[in-house]
Amino acid sequence: ALLGAAMVASGCASGPRVRAERDRTVDFSQYKTFAFVSPLGTDREGYQTMVSQYLKSATQRELEARGLQLVDDAPQLLVNFSGRLNDRLRTSTVPATGVTVGVGVGRGYYNYRTGFYTAWPLYPMETRVDTYSEGTLNIDVIDAGRKQMIWEGVAVGRVTEQTLEHLQPAIDGAVSAIFAKYPVAARSPMY
């Protein structure tokens, strides 16, 4: 399930839905170092998953672009991940698209509809059910000294077969979308 949760940058053209919450009393520019929680919420018992490795790599890139440095000892910030995959159902009722017998067959004005469709409100309705997988990825940033979460970014999106086939780029996209809401903007690269 965690595999799918990290892939919220799925095949949807618009990408994942992203939101973020922050502690508004914190000056995020004061932080200069970070590390990852061990074990991460996306790890399994006794080993680090591929999803965790991809998340760490993408998050490191995003935080370093904001001027933070990954350290082994005494980090100011700790980063953790969580993910979940849920099966979802979406139902909608729409006019049927099939050919029906027209109203007023062979008589008067409505004769032109014969064999194609009926007049509103007599369109037959059909209910469509769409099943899909939805992934949710959380990135938590914790003030290590206070042991308190100060920022959370969440991405939610549809997980597709294409997402599964291109896992690392999907994770990179989701992490980038989440960090676009981080209180400190990425620095422009120098050329």
Side-chain angles (χ1 to χ4, degrees), residues 2-188:
L2 292 176
L3 177 70
M7 299 172 289
V8 293
S10 64
C12 294
S14 62
R17 296 178 313 276
V18 178
R19 67 173 177 77
E21 292 291 326
R22 63 177 278 196
D23 182 339
R24 299 216 179 265
T25 65
V26 173
D27 174 11
F28 283 79
S29 66
Q30 72 178 317
Y31 298 107
K32 304 299 180 206
T33 61
F34 73 96
F36 295 98
V37 170
S38 182
L40 291 166
T42 52
D43 285 347
R44 296 284 187 243
E45 272 189 51
Y47 66 93
Q48 188 173 87
T49 65
M50 295 297 291
V51 168
S52 291
Q53 292 172 41
Y54 296 152
L55 286 167
K56 284 175 68 173
S57 175
T59 300
Q60 181 177 345
R61 179 192 68 237
E62 292 294 331
L63 288 174
E64 286 176 349
R66 288 161 174 77
L68 283 93
Q69 179 182 3
L70 179 63
V71 296
D72 292 326
D73 295 321
Q76 294 174 302
L77 296 175
L78 293 170
V79 180
N80 197 7
F81 310 110
S82 176
R84 182 178 56 241
L85 186 65
N86 292 311
D87 291 327
R88 297 281 188 213
L89 284 174
R90 188 176 130 223
T91 60
S92 56
T93 303
V94 297
T97 56
V99 175
T100 62
V101 175
V103 172
V105 176
R107 288 183 267 133
Y109 181 75
Y110 292 109
N111 189 36
Y112 71 96
R113 295 182 178 151
T114 302
F116 296 101
Y117 58 94
T118 56
W120 184 89
L122 301 176
Y123 287 115
M125 301 299 278
E126 66 182 38
T127 300
R128 295 183 182 166
V129 178
D130 179 26
T131 59
Y132 62 96
S133 293
E134 181 179 79
T136 303
L137 171 64
N138 291 59
I139 300 177
D140 299 340
V141 176
I142 299 113
D143 181 305
R146 294 176 25 211
K147 296 189 185 317
Q148 181 175 339
M149 184 166 61
I150 58 171
W151 185 82
E152 175 188 40
V154 181
V156 180
R158 197 176 273 221
V159 177
T160 65
E161 281 300 318
Q162 182 177 357
T163 308
L164 294 170
E165 292 173 11
H166 305 288
L167 180 57
Q168 188 168 8
I171 289 172
D172 286 347
V175 171
S176 292
I178 290 171
F179 273 99
K181 300 217 178 240
Y182 194 73
V184 176
R187 297 176 182 171
S188 299

